[in-house]
């Protein structure tokens, strides 16, 4: 919704009927939070209902969703008899049995858990959630249904719905791919002042798409309109959109220098993706951008503190290498963990590698058999396994190699399995890393420090 220049009259009429003003959540009447994040790893701050096309703050939609599910999971009791039977069933459950069917309770009667007359709760795989404004179902919608809802609002004149319909036609998502139809809806949205639509309509002229003749003049005219509107709105998301198009040459000639200016506007407005991209441009100093590593790290830090997972990993690299900050391996690991917890696979491998380097420098020659209480192998394998589960080829090879190393020797007495006639060795079931020749060795090793090392305790 970042490209919406202003609320349409239809939105304003709906809000006034609900008692809210433009820019307020129609449920809690609080100011609508600014949408900052666009990546799938971020929590959205607002939600637009596909049915009545109203924006609701994230907190209200979450609370309403929980309320809907609770009501669906606990239907009202149909009759007084059913309510009485349910109460008796609850008493029996609390006192004696109900763990098994047809067992006797304290009063001698059959347990109502097995009675056909007792009310039964139906469990569904996924409950339906309905719009809190118009009661239309808003989850479990097919692509075709979503397209139909967006088309309805586009035909009513909502500029952002028109922009979304244009994008759907261009991709062929829920409807056959049709560049001409996409161009028609993009033009409608652009003429209403939608920033993203104006720039993309210029891109149609730039490439000669959708039945239009290629025209640099028209492309520049529409994209200038988009830039002016973005500058006037001051919305960081639209400023980032303009910068990204200029940087990547999406529908225009690449212009990194001008893109950096738009990134800086959005970065000063607190947009994390713009902060991260600007930070990298300044750090590396490419494509006509003057190199300034200190400013680059500053913007990367701002982005990382807002949860941008790539920025978190890059900031960890700075701490590891001591670039523009004092070298600190523990601080590097902290930022790597933040990034990995958001599902960023390269950060998972970086944690494992950094742990190996840290302990190998501290205890050289001990790899992979470290003293109990100072063994990083459980955590190294933990993160390599996570990366391997995501399909990382290097991590898969590392897991095979390390598991072969640690499975050949008892972690406590250091006996090699060859000396024991290739006897099968047991494995710690918590960390699934260290191996033992006997139960007694496992107990001793746990007491000597494996309890601290075992990542199953994390």
């Amino acid at each position: 919704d970042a490209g919406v220049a202003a609320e349409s009259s239809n939105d304003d009429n709906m809000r006034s009927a609900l008692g809210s003003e433009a820019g307020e959540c129609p449920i809690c009447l609080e100011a609508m939070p600014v949408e900052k994040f666009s990546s799938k790893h971020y929590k959205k701050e607002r939600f637009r209902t596909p049915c009545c096309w109203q924006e609701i703050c994230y907190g209200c939609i979450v609370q309403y969703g929980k309320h809907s599910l609770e009501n669906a999971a606990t239907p009202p009791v149909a009759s007084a008899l059913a309510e009485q039977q349910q109460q008796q069933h609850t008493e029996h459950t609390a006192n004696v049995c109900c763990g098994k069917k047809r067992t006797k309770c304290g009063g001698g009667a059959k347990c109502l858990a097995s009675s056909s007359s007792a009310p039964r709760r139906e469990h569904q795989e996924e409950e339906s959630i309905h719009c809190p404004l118009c009661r239309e179902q808003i989850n479990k919608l097919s692509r075709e249904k979503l397209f139909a809802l967006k088309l309805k609002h586009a035909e009513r004149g909502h500029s952002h719905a028109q922009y979304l319909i244009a994008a759907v036609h261009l991709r062929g998502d829920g409807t056959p791919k049709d560049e001409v139809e996409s161009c028609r809806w993009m033009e409608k949205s652009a003429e209403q002042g939608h920033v993203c639509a104006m720039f993309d309509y210029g891109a149609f002229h730039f490439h000669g798409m959708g039945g239009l003749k290629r025209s640099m003049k028209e492309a520049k005219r529409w994209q200038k309109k988009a830039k002016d509107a973005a500058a006037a709105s001051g919305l960081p998301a639209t400023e980032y959109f303009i910068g990204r198009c200029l940087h990547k040459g999406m529908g225009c000639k690449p212009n990194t220098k001008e893109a950096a200016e738009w990134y800086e506007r959005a970065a000063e407005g607190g947009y994390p993706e713009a902060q991260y991209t600007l930070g990298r441009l300044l750090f590396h100093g490419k494509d006509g951008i003057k190199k300034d590593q200190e400013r680059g790290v500053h913007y990367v830090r701002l982005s990382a503190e807002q949860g941008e997972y790539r920025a978190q990993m890059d900031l960890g690299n700075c701490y590891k290498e001591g670039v523009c900050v004092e070298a600190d391996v523990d601080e590097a690991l902290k930022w790597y963990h933040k990034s990995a917890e958001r599902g960023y696979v390269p950060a998972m491998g970086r944690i494992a590698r950094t742990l190996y380097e840290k302990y190998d420098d501290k205890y050289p020659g001990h790899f992979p058999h470290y003293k109990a209480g100072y063994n990083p192998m459980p955590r190294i394998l933990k993160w390599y396994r996570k990366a391997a589960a995501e399909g990382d080829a290097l991590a898969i090879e590392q897991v095979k190699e390390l598991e072969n190393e640690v499975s050949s020797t008892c972690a406590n007495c250091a006996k090699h399995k060859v000396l024991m006639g290739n006897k099968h060795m047991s494995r710690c079931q918590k960390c699934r890393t260290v191996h033992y020749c006997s139960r007694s060795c496992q107990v001793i090793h746990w007491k000597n420090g494996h309890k601290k090392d075992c990542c199953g305790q994390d």
Side-chain angles (χ1 to χ4, degrees):
D1 296 347
V4 182
E7 296 287 344
S8 70
S9 59
N10 290 338
D11 280 343
D12 284 339
N13 291 337
M14 181 68 171
R15 289 180 182 279
S16 63
L18 294 166
S20 65
E21 301 293 336
E24 294 179 351
C25 173
I27 296 180
C28 64
L29 303 183
E30 295 291 336
M32 189 70 73
V34 176
E35 183 70 277
K36 293 182 179 179
F37 310 133
S38 61
S39 171
K40 66 180 181 180
H41 292 278
Y42 298 125
K43 182 186 79 172
K44 289 186 69 64
E45 298 292 334
R46 56 174 72 182
F47 175 86
R48 186 183 286 278
T49 59
C51 42
C52 52
W53 208 245
Q54 290 296 299
E55 282 189 321
I56 300 171
C57 72
Y58 183 81
C60 282
I61 198 65
V62 168
Q63 290 300 320
Y64 180 77
K66 289 180 180 178
H67 179 69
S68 298
L69 292 177
E70 287 171 1
N71 286 346
T74 55
V77 180
S79 64
L81 176 61
E83 184 176 359
Q84 182 180 2
Q85 290 176 336
Q86 180 66 33
Q87 184 179 359
Q88 291 173 356
H89 170 63
T90 304
E91 290 173 356
H92 293 169
T93 305
N95 292 331
V96 184
C97 56
C98 291
K100 297 180 180 179
K101 292 184 177 181
R102 296 190 179 278
T103 55
K104 290 187 176 181
C105 298
K110 288 182 179 179
C111 173
L112 289 172
S114 61
S115 173
S116 59
S117 60
R120 298 172 184 243
R121 180 177 296 176
E122 297 293 333
H123 294 281
Q124 300 178 0
E125 292 183 1
E126 184 182 1
E127 303 290 353
S128 297
I129 298 177
H130 298 269
C131 172
L133 302 176
C134 67
R135 302 297 184 256
E136 180 79 18
Q137 183 178 326
I138 57 176
N139 70 329
K140 299 188 290 184
L141 297 176
S142 64
R143 290 182 177 181
E144 290 74 16
K145 178 64 175 176
L146 280 172
F147 174 78
L149 289 170
K150 290 174 186 176
L151 182 61
K152 178 182 72 173
H153 297 296
E155 290 171 343
R156 289 179 177 177
H158 291 278
S159 64
H160 190 58
Q162 292 168 343
Y163 177 69
L164 294 177
I165 286 295
V168 166
H169 276 297
L170 192 61
R171 295 192 307 265
D173 186 5
T175 186
K177 188 174 181 179
D178 189 338
E179 283 189 7
V180 175
E181 190 68 7
S182 175
C183 183
R184 184 175 75 86
W185 284 109
M186 195 70 75
E187 182 182 12
K188 285 177 177 289
S189 180
E191 287 174 348
Q192 292 198 66
H194 192 288
V195 176
C196 299
M198 286 191 287
F199 199 96
D200 286 348
Y201 188 55
F204 274 77
H205 285 284
F206 182 85
H207 293 292
M209 296 169 56
L212 298 177
K213 289 184 178 181
R214 189 175 186 190
S215 172
M216 296 297 105
K217 183 179 179 180
E218 280 297 298
K220 289 179 179 178
R221 184 174 75 87
W222 277 106
Q223 289 173 357
K224 185 180 184 305
K225 281 187 174 185
K227 293 175 186 177
D228 293 342
S233 71
L235 292 174
T238 53
E239 292 167 342
Y240 172 73
F241 171 81
I242 298 294
R244 185 168 176 268
C245 290
L246 292 168
H247 186 197
K248 302 295 183 182
M250 295 160 51
C252 60
K253 291 181 179 179
N255 188 335
T256 307
K257 192 170 182 180
E258 187 181 358
E261 295 173 1
W262 284 101
Y263 284 147
E264 188 168 2
R265 285 170 177 258
E268 294 301 326
Y271 200 76
E273 291 186 355
Q275 292 167 341
Y276 170 68
T277 310
L278 178 62
R280 286 187 62 85
L281 286 175
L282 291 169
F283 188 87
H284 295 289
K286 293 181 179 179
D287 302 324
I289 305 299
K290 185 178 178 180
K291 189 173 182 178
D292 189 340
Q293 289 191 334
E294 288 191 3
R295 279 190 71 207
V297 173
H298 167 71
Y299 281 113
V300 168
R301 181 186 294 277
L302 291 177
S303 179
E305 289 172 349
Q306 292 199 69
E308 220 297 337
Y309 58 96
R310 297 166 298 175
Q312 289 169 338
M313 179 168 162
D314 284 1
L315 186 58
N317 290 338
C318 290
Y319 275 107
K320 183 181 177 183
E321 303 297 333
V323 179
C324 298
V325 293
E326 186 177 350
D328 187 337
V329 175
D330 291 330
E331 188 70 11
L333 283 168
K334 183 189 85 171
W335 287 106
Y336 289 152
H337 274 88
K338 286 179 180 287
S339 179
E341 285 165 1
R342 287 190 170 273
Y344 195 43
V345 177
M348 298 175 189
R350 193 61 57 88
I351 292 172
R353 184 68 187 173
T354 304
L355 282 171
Y356 162 72
E357 292 171 355
K358 176 183 176 181
Y359 280 81
D360 194 53
D361 290 341
K362 194 171 182 180
Y363 308 104
H366 288 75
F367 178 83
H369 307 295
Y370 296 90
K371 182 180 177 182
Y374 305 93
N375 188 1
M377 288 306 298
R379 287 175 176 82
I380 290 174
L381 262 174
K382 167 188 172 180
W383 287 107
Y384 271 140
R385 284 168 178 155
K386 286 194 173 189
E390 297 294 331
D392 186 272
L394 179 60
I396 292 171
E397 290 299 318
Q398 288 293 328
V399 168
K400 289 180 181 177
E401 182 180 336
L402 291 175
E403 285 185 343
N404 184 56
E405 289 279 354
V406 298
S407 64
S408 61
T409 307
C410 176
N412 182 60
C413 65
K415 287 183 181 178
H416 198 280
K417 64 180 181 180
V418 174
L419 300 177
M420 297 180 287
N422 288 320
K423 175 185 174 183
H424 174 74
M425 302 176 73
S426 61
R427 182 175 66 173
C428 174
Q429 294 303 306
K430 291 183 180 293
C431 65
R432 299 183 295 118
T433 300
V434 295
H435 289 65
Y436 304 102
C437 62
S438 64
R439 174 68 176 168
S440 60
C441 273
Q442 183 172 1
V443 172
I444 294 170
H445 194 245
W446 180 264
K447 292 179 179 179
N448 286 345
H450 181 60
K451 182 177 181 180
K452 176 184 173 183
D453 300 331
C454 185
C455 59
Q457 303 296 308
D458 290 348

